[in-house]
Short mmCIF file of all heavy atoms in Angstrom, two decimals:
data_model
loop_
_atom_site.label_atom_id
_atom_site.label_comp_id
_atom_site.label_asym_id
_atom_site.label_seq_id
_atom_site.Cartn_x
_atom_site.Cartn_y
_atom_site.Cartn_z
N GLY B 1754 145.40 -123.90 33.51
CA GLY B 1754 145.61 -125.33 33.30
C GLY B 1754 145.01 -125.82 31.99
O GLY B 1754 144.31 -125.08 31.30
N PRO B 1755 145.29 -127.09 31.65
CA PRO B 1755 144.88 -127.66 30.36
C PRO B 1755 143.39 -127.52 30.07
O PRO B 1755 143.00 -127.20 28.94
CB PRO B 1755 145.26 -129.13 30.50
CG PRO B 1755 146.40 -129.14 31.45
CD PRO B 1755 146.12 -128.03 32.42
N GLU B 1756 142.55 -127.73 31.08
CA GLU B 1756 141.11 -127.70 30.85
C GLU B 1756 140.67 -126.31 30.38
O GLU B 1756 139.90 -126.16 29.43
CB GLU B 1756 140.40 -128.07 32.15
CG GLU B 1756 139.03 -128.64 31.97
CD GLU B 1756 138.46 -129.06 33.33
OE1 GLU B 1756 139.25 -129.56 34.18
OE2 GLU B 1756 137.26 -128.86 33.54
N ARG B 1757 141.19 -125.31 31.06
CA ARG B 1757 140.81 -123.95 30.71
C ARG B 1757 141.40 -123.55 29.36
O ARG B 1757 140.75 -122.85 28.58
CB ARG B 1757 141.28 -122.99 31.81
CG ARG B 1757 140.86 -121.56 31.59
CD ARG B 1757 139.32 -121.41 31.61
NE ARG B 1757 138.89 -120.10 31.17
CZ ARG B 1757 138.08 -119.30 31.83
NH1 ARG B 1757 137.54 -119.71 32.96
NH2 ARG B 1757 137.76 -118.12 31.36
N ILE B 1758 142.62 -123.99 29.08
CA ILE B 1758 143.22 -123.68 27.78
C ILE B 1758 142.35 -124.26 26.66
O ILE B 1758 142.04 -123.57 25.67
CB ILE B 1758 144.66 -124.24 27.70
CG1 ILE B 1758 145.58 -123.50 28.67
CG2 ILE B 1758 145.20 -124.14 26.27
CD1 ILE B 1758 146.96 -124.11 28.84
N ARG B 1759 141.93 -125.51 26.83
CA ARG B 1759 141.08 -126.13 25.79
C ARG B 1759 139.76 -125.38 25.64
O ARG B 1759 139.26 -125.19 24.52
CB ARG B 1759 140.83 -127.61 26.13
CG ARG B 1759 142.08 -128.48 25.92
CD ARG B 1759 141.85 -129.92 26.40
NE ARG B 1759 140.73 -130.56 25.74
CZ ARG B 1759 140.83 -131.24 24.59
NH1 ARG B 1759 142.00 -131.35 23.99
NH2 ARG B 1759 139.76 -131.80 24.06
N ALA B 1760 139.19 -124.96 26.75
CA ALA B 1760 137.91 -124.23 26.67
C ALA B 1760 138.08 -122.90 25.93
O ALA B 1760 137.22 -122.49 25.15
CB ALA B 1760 137.37 -123.99 28.08
N GLU B 1761 139.20 -122.24 26.17
CA GLU B 1761 139.43 -120.96 25.51
C GLU B 1761 139.75 -121.15 24.02
O GLU B 1761 139.38 -120.32 23.19
CB GLU B 1761 140.54 -120.18 26.22
CG GLU B 1761 140.17 -119.73 27.63
CD GLU B 1761 139.11 -118.62 27.66
OE1 GLU B 1761 139.09 -117.79 26.74
OE2 GLU B 1761 138.30 -118.60 28.60
N VAL B 1762 140.43 -122.25 23.69
CA VAL B 1762 140.67 -122.57 22.27
C VAL B 1762 139.32 -122.78 21.58
O VAL B 1762 139.07 -122.25 20.49
CB VAL B 1762 141.56 -123.83 22.14
CG1 VAL B 1762 141.49 -124.40 20.72
CG2 VAL B 1762 143.00 -123.50 22.50
N GLU B 1763 138.46 -123.55 22.21
CA GLU B 1763 137.14 -123.80 21.63
C GLU B 1763 136.38 -122.49 21.43
O GLU B 1763 135.71 -122.29 20.42
CB GLU B 1763 136.34 -124.76 22.53
CG GLU B 1763 134.93 -125.04 22.06
CD GLU B 1763 134.86 -125.65 20.65
OE1 GLU B 1763 135.69 -126.54 20.33
OE2 GLU B 1763 134.01 -125.22 19.85
N ARG B 1764 136.51 -121.59 22.39
CA ARG B 1764 135.81 -120.32 22.28
C ARG B 1764 136.31 -119.50 21.08
O ARG B 1764 135.52 -118.90 20.34
CB ARG B 1764 136.03 -119.51 23.57
CG ARG B 1764 135.23 -118.23 23.63
CD ARG B 1764 135.89 -117.21 24.54
NE ARG B 1764 135.80 -117.55 25.94
CZ ARG B 1764 134.96 -116.97 26.81
NH1 ARG B 1764 134.09 -116.07 26.36
NH2 ARG B 1764 134.97 -117.28 28.07
N VAL B 1765 137.62 -119.50 20.87
CA VAL B 1765 138.19 -118.77 19.73
C VAL B 1765 137.77 -119.42 18.42
O VAL B 1765 137.38 -118.73 17.46
CB VAL B 1765 139.73 -118.69 19.84
CG1 VAL B 1765 140.34 -118.16 18.54
CG2 VAL B 1765 140.14 -117.82 21.02
N LEU B 1766 137.84 -120.74 18.36
CA LEU B 1766 137.43 -121.44 17.13
C LEU B 1766 135.95 -121.18 16.83
O LEU B 1766 135.57 -120.94 15.67
CB LEU B 1766 137.66 -122.95 17.28
CG LEU B 1766 139.12 -123.40 17.34
CD1 LEU B 1766 139.19 -124.88 17.75
CD2 LEU B 1766 139.83 -123.19 16.01
N ALA B 1767 135.13 -121.22 17.85
CA ALA B 1767 133.69 -121.00 17.66
C ALA B 1767 133.41 -119.56 17.24
O ALA B 1767 132.50 -119.29 16.46
CB ALA B 1767 132.93 -121.34 18.94
N ALA B 1768 134.20 -118.63 17.75
CA ALA B 1768 134.00 -117.23 17.37
C ALA B 1768 134.27 -117.03 15.89
O ALA B 1768 133.50 -116.36 15.20
CB ALA B 1768 134.91 -116.31 18.20
N PHE B 1769 135.34 -117.63 15.37
CA PHE B 1769 135.56 -117.55 13.92
C PHE B 1769 134.46 -118.32 13.21
O PHE B 1769 133.90 -117.87 12.22
CB PHE B 1769 136.94 -118.07 13.51
CG PHE B 1769 137.21 -117.85 12.04
CD1 PHE B 1769 137.75 -116.65 11.60
CD2 PHE B 1769 136.87 -118.82 11.10
CE1 PHE B 1769 137.95 -116.42 10.24
CE2 PHE B 1769 137.06 -118.59 9.74
CZ PHE B 1769 137.61 -117.39 9.31
N GLY B 1770 134.17 -119.50 13.71
CA GLY B 1770 133.06 -120.29 13.16
C GLY B 1770 133.47 -121.18 12.01
O GLY B 1770 134.66 -121.40 11.76
N HIS B 1771 132.47 -121.71 11.34
CA HIS B 1771 132.73 -122.65 10.24
C HIS B 1771 133.31 -121.94 9.04
O HIS B 1771 133.03 -120.77 8.81
CB HIS B 1771 131.42 -123.35 9.85
CG HIS B 1771 130.96 -124.31 10.91
ND1 HIS B 1771 131.28 -125.65 10.90
CD2 HIS B 1771 130.25 -124.09 12.04
CE1 HIS B 1771 130.77 -126.22 11.97
NE2 HIS B 1771 130.13 -125.29 12.68
N GLY B 1772 134.11 -122.70 8.28
CA GLY B 1772 134.61 -122.17 7.03
C GLY B 1772 136.07 -121.81 7.09
O GLY B 1772 136.75 -122.08 8.08
N GLU B 1773 136.54 -121.18 6.03
CA GLU B 1773 137.99 -121.03 5.82
C GLU B 1773 138.45 -119.60 6.06
O GLU B 1773 137.67 -118.67 6.05
CB GLU B 1773 138.33 -121.49 4.40
CG GLU B 1773 137.79 -122.89 4.05
CD GLU B 1773 138.17 -123.97 5.07
OE1 GLU B 1773 139.22 -123.81 5.76
OE2 GLU B 1773 137.43 -124.96 5.20
N GLY B 1774 139.77 -119.49 6.26
CA GLY B 1774 140.37 -118.17 6.42
C GLY B 1774 140.80 -117.86 7.83
O GLY B 1774 140.98 -116.69 8.18
N HIS B 1775 141.01 -118.89 8.67
CA HIS B 1775 141.46 -118.65 10.04
C HIS B 1775 142.81 -119.31 10.31
O HIS B 1775 142.96 -120.51 10.10
CB HIS B 1775 140.43 -119.17 11.05
CG HIS B 1775 140.80 -118.91 12.48
ND1 HIS B 1775 140.34 -119.69 13.53
CD2 HIS B 1775 141.58 -117.95 13.06
CE1 HIS B 1775 140.83 -119.22 14.67
NE2 HIS B 1775 141.58 -118.16 14.40
N VAL B 1776 143.76 -118.53 10.75
CA VAL B 1776 145.03 -119.04 11.27
C VAL B 1776 145.03 -118.78 12.76
O VAL B 1776 144.88 -117.63 13.19
CB VAL B 1776 146.23 -118.32 10.62
CG1 VAL B 1776 147.54 -118.73 11.29
CG2 VAL B 1776 146.29 -118.60 9.12
#
Side-chain angles (χ1 to χ4, degrees):
Chain B
E1756 205 176 323
R1757 184 63 190 233
I1758 293 171
R1759 288 174 58 88
E1761 293 290 327
V1762 164
E1763 177 58 42
R1764 186 205 289 256
V1765 170
L1766 292 169
F1769 186 87
H1771 290 267
E1773 308 308 334
H1775 182 206
V1776 173

